[in-house]
Amino acid sequence: NNQPQTQTRAEFRNHVFERDNHTCTVPWCDNDAADAHHIIERELWSNGGYRPDNGASVCNPHHKYAEENIIP
């Protein structure tokens, strides 16, 4: 894979949005992406987890649900 392993927050967000076509990745949702959610929490990484393979594009409601562990 040719993705950078670590990035800045802005690069991470842009890369995840581009990969996911700027659309929420929740299967039943087709809203525009509003944030790049970290799949594995940032605190568990020594470098903040800004790796494209650790991100998922989500809309605002689904980002809130993901942060609250309502959806994985």
Side-chain angles (χ1 to χ4, degrees), residues 20-41:
D20 298 336
N21 296 314
H22 298 267
T23 304
C24 183
T25 56
V26 173
W28 55 87
C29 184
D30 61 0
N31 290 333
D32 290 339
D35 208 340
H37 178 70
H38 285 81
I39 297 166
I40 299 172
E41 293 185 37

Side-chain angles (χ1 to χ4, degrees), residues 1-53:
N1 119 15
N2 60 359
Q3 294 179 10
Q5 293 305 302
T6 59
Q7 302 178 318
T8 67
R9 181 177 180 90
E11 289 170 334
F12 166 77
R13 185 176 188 267
N14 290 338
H15 192 105
V16 172
F17 277 11
E18 285 181 30
R19 181 198 63 210
D20 298 336
N21 296 314
H22 298 267
T23 304
C24 183
T25 56
V26 173
W28 55 87
C29 184
D30 61 0
N31 290 333
D32 290 339
D35 208 340
H37 178 70
H38 285 81
I39 297 166
I40 299 172
E41 293 185 37
R42 291 178 298 170
E43 296 80 25
L44 299 177
W45 299 79
S46 62
N47 61 9
Y50 292 110
R51 297 169 47 109
D53 58 356

